[in-house]
Amino acid sequence: MPSWGEVLREVQLHTPHDYLRNEYLQGVAAQTNRNILIYYSGWLQKGNLQTDFGITDDDKNGFMACCPKKGERAKGLDLILHTPGGDVAATESIIDYLHDLYKGDIRAFIPQLAMSGGTLIATSCKVIVMGRQSSIGPVDPQINGVAAQSYISEFNKACEQVKRDPSSFPAWQLIIGKLSPGFLITCQNAIDWSNEILSTSLERCMLKGKRDKKEKIKKILTLLGDQTVSKAHNRHISREQAKSAGLVIEDLENDNKLQDLILSLHHLLGITFEQTSAVKIIANDRGAAYIRQANPLKG
C-alpha cells in the first residue's frame, strides 16, 4: 500500500489530482466488480473556512450526476464515505434516493469517519465495512450546537427540582424562560425524526429478514441515538462497538488488496483537499465528478 508520503510525491511529480483519483477509483471497481461512488468532505483539512462541509440538498445533484444508468446499476454500489454529517432532511432524501436506485444493494466503506448524518447513510446500507481506524458517530440531533435531548432533559430537571423546592423557581425561570414557545416540541420532533430514519433504514435493508431485528434496532438506537449513552455528539464509535450493538460490520482488513486501494484513495483525497480549493468531492469510477470549491470571498 502506498503511504501518505508516496501518494503525496505521486501527486506532486506525476499526475494531477483528478487523474490519479480516477485511476484509484477504477482500481477499486476492478477489485470489487461493483459500482464505486465516493462522498468526501474536506472539513478536517479546511475546518477554518466558513463554508458548509456537511450534507446538503445540493449534494443530491452530485449523486444524480455520478450514479450510472439503470442497466449499469445491477452490480450494486460500494459507497465510500468521509463526512461530518449535516442536514437531516437532505440526509434522508439521499438515503431514499440511493436505496431506490440500487434496491438496497449498497455497501458503505468508512476509511476514517462517517459521523452523524454520515452514520445514518452508512446504516441505511446492507453492510458497513470498517477498519481499525474507522469510526461512526451518534445521530442525536443538534439544535444551535446543543443536543436536542439536552434541552428536554434540562427542562425536565427544572420541573422536578421546582416541584421539590418551589424556591428554586426564580433561578430556573432565568434559564428556561429563554426558550421560545414550541421549542421543546421542535426538539422532540427532531429526536423522533432521527430515530425514525435510523430504525426505518435498518428494518428495510441491513436487518431485513432477521428474527431479532426489533431487539437489535432498539440496541442500535440506544448506542447511536441516546445522548445519555454517547455523552457527546462527536463521540467516535469503533467497529467493535458497532458490531456489539447489532450493526452488520465487515472488517476492511479481510481483503488486503482492497484495503490498500481504499486507503490509498483516502490518502489522495486528503491531499487533494490540502492542495486544491476543493471542499467536497462526489465522484464515481467512470470519471464523473461533482466537486464543490471553497468560496474565495470567505476565509
Side-chain angles (χ1 to χ4, degrees):
M1 176 186 72
S3 66
W4 179 281
E6 290 170 337
V7 173
L8 177 60
R9 285 193 295 274
E10 196 169 357
V11 169
Q12 291 174 330
L13 301 177
H14 300 292
T15 58
H17 300 83
D18 291 342
Y19 181 86
L20 192 55
R21 183 187 67 246
N22 289 336
E23 183 178 301
Y24 284 5
L25 283 167
Q26 289 167 11
V28 176
Q31 179 69 11
T32 66
N33 194 33
R34 290 167 63 84
N35 293 295
I36 308 298
L37 183 65
I38 58 170
Y39 178 70
Y40 257 69
S41 171
W43 89 100
L44 295 181
Q45 290 79 19
K46 296 180 175 176
N48 61 315
L49 296 182
Q50 297 178 17
T51 190
D52 195 342
F53 293 99
I55 301 167
T56 67
D57 280 321
D58 184 57
D59 295 337
K60 178 70 76 64
N61 294 314
F63 283 99
M64 291 171 63
C66 295
C67 284
K69 296 179 181 179
K70 184 176 181 179
E72 300 168 331
R73 296 197 292 265
K75 293 190 297 183
L77 175 68
D78 284 344
L79 177 62
I80 307 174
L81 291 168
H82 185 66
T83 173
D87 182 74
V88 176
T91 299
E92 181 181 40
S93 180
I94 290 169
I95 287 171
D96 290 340
Y97 175 71
L98 293 176
H99 182 84
D100 185 61
L101 286 183
Y102 292 95
K103 309 306 177 188
D105 186 13
I106 306 174
R107 297 189 301 180
F109 283 76
I110 303 176
Q112 185 176 358
L113 296 168
M115 306 296 283
S116 191
T119 297
L120 284 176
I121 293 175
T123 53
S124 74
C125 302
K126 68 178 184 179
V127 64
I128 305 174
V129 183
M130 301 175 68
R132 297 181 182 88
Q133 73 288 341
S134 307
S135 298
I136 56 176
V139 300
D140 57 307
Q142 309 291 292
I143 299 178
N144 300 324
V146 178
Q149 291 179 11
S150 293
Y151 288 112
I152 295 175
S153 296
E154 187 170 49
F155 179 79
N156 290 336
K157 181 180 179 180
C159 292
E160 292 172 4
Q161 188 166 341
V162 169
K163 186 176 179 179
R164 292 195 308 268
D165 179 12
S167 66
S168 66
F169 176 76
W172 278 113
Q173 187 179 34
L174 291 174
I175 300 172
I176 304 302
K178 296 178 182 179
L179 302 180
S180 59
F183 180 75
L184 294 178
I185 294 176
T186 298
C187 289
Q188 188 60 57
N189 286 341
I191 294 168
D192 294 343
W193 187 11
S194 179
N195 288 342
E196 178 186 326
I197 294 172
L198 179 56
S199 58
T200 298
S201 294
L202 290 169
E203 188 164 359
R204 75 178 177 182
C205 192
M206 185 177 287
L207 301 181
K208 184 179 180 180
K210 296 187 181 297
R211 294 181 181 179
D212 57 349
K213 67 179 178 182
K214 289 186 178 180
E215 291 75 15
K216 285 187 175 181
I217 289 174
K218 185 177 180 180
K219 194 171 182 180
I220 293 167
L221 282 171
T222 299
L223 175 68
L224 300 180
D226 190 341
Q227 199 246 353
T228 63
V229 173
S230 62
K231 308 302 181 186
H233 190 62
N234 65 348
R235 185 75 174 266
H236 288 26
I237 297 172
S238 70
R239 68 178 178 190
E240 295 307 320
Q241 291 172 300
K243 287 179 182 179
S244 297
L247 289 168
V248 180
I249 307 293
E250 292 182 359
D251 295 346
L252 182 59
E253 296 85 1
N254 288 345
D255 185 331
N256 288 332
K257 184 174 181 180
L258 181 58
Q259 177 186 218
D260 286 352
L261 290 165
I262 293 289
L263 294 183
S264 294
L265 176 62
H266 177 69
H267 293 335
L268 169 65
L269 290 164
I271 292 168
T272 301
F273 290 128
E274 287 182 349
Q275 296 186 345
T276 73
S277 59
V279 296
K280 190 183 294 182
I281 300 174
I282 305 172
N284 67 16
D285 58 292
R286 292 175 172 81
Y290 190 88
I291 302 176
R292 182 178 176 182
Q293 307 289 332
N295 188 336
L297 298 180
K298 295 182 179 181

